[in-house]
Amino acid sequence: MIVFKNITLHVHRQTLLDGADLSIALGEKAVVRGPSGCGKSSLLKSAVGILPLASGSIAVDGQELSAETIGGIRGRIAFIGQEPVLGADTVREALLLPFSFKTHRGNRPPDDRVLEALHDLHLGEEILDKPSKRISGGEKQRIALARALLLGKDIFLADEVTSALDPESKAAVMERLFRPGITLLSVSHDPDWIAKCNRVIGIENHRLTEESA
């Protein structure tokens, strides 16, 4: 499903990964852990072309990431970063933004489905009219997640999405992302999240290593 082959990543002239390999199968739930600055978040960003590779390749469902394929691959993957950019003034506009584009224009969800998506993630209806810049980082992550779920995405890259959440909200997020049909590659220090994953990946000597789950 997601294959990193012999990848090398440089950030600010620092080598984070060097000749690293990793394959994530359909439906797997994998978490990458390690010390700050070792390349965990950069690995996720590289999978959607936010950070270019110095060398190597990344393929999603057999399609290699390139300038020609990046749009289609980003259309399939939901990247939930630590501080998502929602791209609109209000939360309502941000949540429905993709459905204003030609690709999804005919699939705009009804109001009851929008409210259900919010409720599933422990968000109240009142958040819809709030300015996007006035909500917390954890709320932005859940809005980004709700938007991806409304779009029907089933491949998720999630970067510390439970770090700022209360226990009930964390449980709600985990319930949505750990469903059987979801392929998940994540970064987390949360013991509950790590225990839920069926694969644990470490970073050692600039390589990706399998650890005990």
Side-chain angles (χ1 to χ4, degrees), residues 126-202:
E126 68 280 356
I127 200 171
L128 288 170
D129 296 316
K130 290 185 177 181
S132 296
K133 63 183 179 181
R134 296 289 178 86
I135 64 174
S136 70
E139 288 172 328
K140 287 179 181 177
Q141 288 178 316
R142 281 180 286 162
I143 291 298
L145 175 54
R147 183 165 63 184
L149 292 169
L150 287 169
L151 285 165
K153 295 194 179 187
D154 58 6
I155 307 173
F156 283 82
L157 307 177
D159 192 354
E160 296 284 9
V161 294
T162 61
S163 61
L165 301 182
D166 59 76
E168 292 78 13
S169 297
K170 182 176 85 169
V173 167
M174 291 179 67
E175 182 178 352
R176 306 312 295 169
L177 288 180
F178 283 89
R179 291 175 295 156
I182 298 292
T183 301
L184 175 66
L185 177 59
S186 60
V187 169
S188 181
H189 292 94
D190 185 335
D192 295 332
W193 183 284
I194 293 170
K196 193 82 170 172
C197 290
N198 58 287
R199 290 181 66 191
V200 180
I201 311 298

Side-chain angles (χ1 to χ4, degrees), residues 1-205:
M1 176 56 71
I2 309 176
V3 178
F4 300 84
K5 186 176 180 180
N6 197 31
I7 68 165
T8 297
L9 264 179
H10 300 312
V11 176
H12 303 309
R13 299 183 181 180
Q14 178 184 0
T15 299
L16 298 179
L17 295 171
D18 187 8
D21 296 293
L22 177 65
S23 294
I24 306 298
L26 178 68
E28 278 194 320
K29 312 294 188 288
V31 61
V32 184
R33 65 180 180 182
S36 178
C38 70
K40 304 182 298 297
S41 298
S42 296
L43 176 70
L44 267 58
K45 290 176 181 178
S46 73
V48 286
I50 296 173
L51 283 179
L53 298 177
S55 62
S57 65
I58 298 170
V60 177
D61 203 14
Q63 186 174 46
E64 186 170 332
L65 181 66
S66 67
E68 291 73 30
T69 64
I70 191 170
I73 287 176
R74 286 181 176 177
R76 293 201 60 193
I77 294 178
F79 173 75
I80 315 295
Q82 294 185 40
E83 187 68 26
V85 176
L86 296 181
D89 291 336
T90 70
V91 170
R92 186 190 305 274
E93 291 168 343
L95 199 56
L96 296 175
L97 180 63
F99 302 100
S100 66
F101 303 143
K102 183 178 180 180
T103 305
H104 302 291
R105 195 169 294 155
N107 299 317
R108 177 173 170 142
D111 290 346
D112 60 343
R113 179 67 191 93
V114 171
L115 296 180
E116 180 185 2
L118 293 176
H119 180 266
D120 286 346
L121 294 170
H122 273 231
L123 293 166
E125 179 179 356
E126 68 280 356
I127 200 171
L128 288 170
D129 296 316
K130 290 185 177 181
S132 296
K133 63 183 179 181
R134 296 289 178 86
I135 64 174
S136 70
E139 288 172 328
K140 287 179 181 177
Q141 288 178 316
R142 281 180 286 162
I143 291 298
L145 175 54
R147 183 165 63 184
L149 292 169
L150 287 169
L151 285 165
K153 295 194 179 187
D154 58 6
I155 307 173
F156 283 82
L157 307 177
D159 192 354
E160 296 284 9
V161 294
T162 61
S163 61
L165 301 182
D166 59 76
E168 292 78 13
S169 297
K170 182 176 85 169
V173 167
M174 291 179 67
E175 182 178 352
R176 306 312 295 169
L177 288 180
F178 283 89
R179 291 175 295 156
I182 298 292
T183 301
L184 175 66
L185 177 59
S186 60
V187 169
S188 181
H189 292 94
D190 185 335
D192 295 332
W193 183 284
I194 293 170
K196 193 82 170 172
C197 290
N198 58 287
R199 290 181 66 191
V200 180
I201 311 298
I203 298 180
E204 185 177 348
N205 297 324

